Amino acid sequence: MERLRRMKAKYVLANRERLIEAAAATRSRIPRGSTAQQSPLVTLLWRAPQVLPVAVLCAVTVTGFLVPPEIHLASLLVAVPALTAGLVDPAVTGVITAFACVAAVSLDIRDGLLNSAILPIHVIDLLVVCGLVLLFWYLRGLDTKAFNQVRSVSDTVQRAVLRPLPRRIGRLRIASVYRSAAAQAQIGGDLYAAAQIPGAVRLIIGDVRGHGLPAVDDATTVLGAFREAAHRAATLPELVASLEGSVRRHFHEVSAADRDSGERFITVLVVEVPDDAHVVRMISCGHPPPLRSQGGPAEALRSMQPAPPLGLAGAEEEYQLDVFRLEPGETLLLHTDGLLEARDATGTFYPASERVADLSWGEPDQLLELLMKDLLDHVGGRLQDDVALVAMERLRELKAPSKS
């Protein structure tokens, strides 16, 4: 069984490297400067649904007065209130229906149907359709209210699980962003957190295998374990070993209810930035490497001996520490695999290293804003996987004031 888990870990790491290499070798095909103003034709097509009911009302009315009296077109006006459903607000629906009733009565009188049963039938048809449209608006309002309540709960859960990172902690300036692949979801299986300890700052970013509530449950476990162990563990290897123990206990507890718990794992990257040294210490557990940049070419900091993802490591796993330079003014971008595995319509991976080098940015929050916009342009506005980004810049040391 232990050998099987080791083989799974090697498989995960091998596929991670393959995807990273494919993304790094891919050239971006996104045209620059694609924010051109909309043409008048596009504006007309955008506003067409709003003016369509009025256009139909005018066309039927005018045509009804032009054709011979034997041709009765008043019944076509029933389409006017029906066309307002979902396009205009309920008040406009009522006003347009009133004008349609006047037009229907006028056409029937012109056709000699004043004393016939057809005239009131036409008016009743218009009022019934108007009532159905207003009922649609009412039910839609109930759905919107329920959705807003669910969205509020989702926002609360997100703030509880993914606490906002401080804009400045220790010698670092930090920015973070999370984007779920689900259209309306605010939280998923990606995670990040930061903790300040005496003399250093520790950060974690991770990606849970799977989606839905089990992924949120796993992410919550890792974040809770990190926030506690980050202050107790003396070294980074001890911290990661503590996280592995917490995850293994968590998977054992859920195994009774989830028969697939043996297939669950969590990739994480744990970093430590000391206050008194221009370095970053790192342990990668099957997670994509971070990107280091200073407003120019971005370099991937690859771990020499990556560890298996949490939940797949052995009981006596030895975690190897990687140390890289991080000079003042340099920015380190931590990310989940949703950034590298994002594809455009042709199946091309998003080349994160090249795009970071092409972007013009000053502070970490500006980098994430531009990078996320560029990523969404690449995928056509629709992500296939969650994306979490954390950018941290090592601040330049302030010079001590000179003594006069």
Side-chain angles (χ1 to χ4, degrees), residues 64-395:
F65 279 102
L66 295 179
V67 299
E70 294 79 13
I71 302 177
H72 309 303
L73 298 183
S75 59
L76 299 180
L77 292 172
V78 73
V80 174
L83 290 173
T84 64
L87 301 180
V88 295
D89 58 62
V92 175
T93 297
V95 172
I96 291 180
T97 301
F99 279 107
C101 290
V102 173
V105 171
S106 301
L107 289 176
D108 285 344
I109 292 177
R110 183 259 185 185
D111 295 342
L113 303 176
L114 177 61
N115 298 320
S116 69
I118 297 179
L119 188 150
I121 290 176
H122 285 165
V123 175
I124 292 175
D125 288 344
L126 288 168
L127 295 178
V128 169
V129 174
C130 177
L132 292 176
V133 172
L134 295 180
L135 178 61
F136 161 79
W137 277 104
Y138 173 75
L139 296 177
R140 183 180 181 183
L142 293 180
D143 290 341
T144 302
K145 183 179 179 180
F147 168 77
N148 290 335
Q149 291 175 345
V150 173
R151 184 65 176 269
S152 177
V153 172
S154 176
D155 292 342
T156 302
V157 173
Q158 182 193 34
R159 288 191 296 269
V161 177
L162 288 181
R163 301 174 188 171
L165 299 182
R167 292 182 59 86
R168 178 168 178 175
I169 179 172
R171 299 292 180 88
L172 300 176
R173 182 186 288 119
I174 298 180
S176 61
V177 64
Y178 178 87
R179 184 66 177 261
S180 174
Q184 304 299 339
Q186 295 296 309
I187 189 171
D190 289 5
L191 59 98
Y192 54 75
Q196 185 175 13
I197 63 174
V201 174
R202 289 174 171 174
L203 297 98
I204 185 174
I205 188 167
D207 187 1
V208 176
R209 178 186 182 273
H211 301 279
L213 292 179
V216 176
D217 186 28
D218 294 349
T220 305
T221 299
V222 175
L223 289 173
F226 171 81
R227 289 164 183 155
E228 177 63 23
H231 298 276
R232 290 189 292 102
T235 64
L236 217 56
E238 292 179 1
L239 170 58
V240 178
S242 177
L243 296 179
E244 171 64 26
S246 298
V247 170
R248 291 172 72 92
R249 289 190 296 271
H250 167 68
F251 287 164
H252 177 71
E253 292 173 356
V254 302
S255 61
D258 184 6
R259 291 178 295 181
D260 296 330
S261 60
E263 303 296 326
R264 291 158 71 170
F265 58 84
I266 306 163
T267 67
V268 298
L269 180 74
V270 183
V271 301
E272 180 180 82
V273 183
D275 295 339
D276 56 357
H278 298 169
V279 298
V280 55
R281 306 182 185 112
M282 180 182 80
I283 294 180
S284 174
C285 297
H287 200 78
L291 302 176
R292 181 180 58 189
S293 177
Q294 194 172 10
E299 177 187 3
L301 305 183
R302 303 184 185 277
S303 176
M304 299 303 295
Q305 292 182 313
L310 300 181
L312 294 181
E316 302 296 332
E317 182 71 36
E318 294 184 2
Y319 295 98
Q320 302 298 322
L321 193 66
D322 294 292
V323 181
F324 301 94
R325 297 292 297 177
L326 186 64
E327 300 293 342
E330 288 187 328
T331 298
L332 194 65
L333 176 64
L334 313 181
H335 57 87
T336 55
D337 61 0
L339 179 70
L340 300 182
E341 295 178 5
R343 307 189 189 197
D344 62 9
T346 64
T348 304
F349 287 109
Y350 181 74
S353 299
E354 298 177 10
R355 304 309 293 169
V356 171
D358 292 341
L359 298 175
S360 178
W361 48 274
E363 297 185 352
D365 54 353
Q366 185 181 12
L367 168 62
L368 296 190
E369 180 182 355
L370 295 174
L371 187 62
M372 183 57 68
K373 181 180 182 301
D374 194 60
L375 176 65
L376 292 176
D377 289 342
H378 180 80
V379 300
R382 180 74 175 180
L383 293 173
Q384 299 299 320
D385 193 9
D386 298 349
V387 176
L389 304 174
V390 177
M392 57 180 183
E393 175 191 2
R394 185 174 186 90
L395 297 173

Side-chain angles (χ1 to χ4, degrees), residues 35-74:
T35 57
Q37 295 183 349
Q38 290 183 344
S39 65
L41 178 60
V42 173
T43 303
L44 178 62
L45 292 176
W46 174 257
R47 296 189 176 276
Q50 285 78 11
V51 302
L52 185 59
V54 177
V56 172
L57 172 62
C58 296
V60 172
T61 303
V62 172
T63 305
F65 279 102
L66 295 179
V67 299
E70 294 79 13
I71 302 177
H72 309 303
L73 298 183

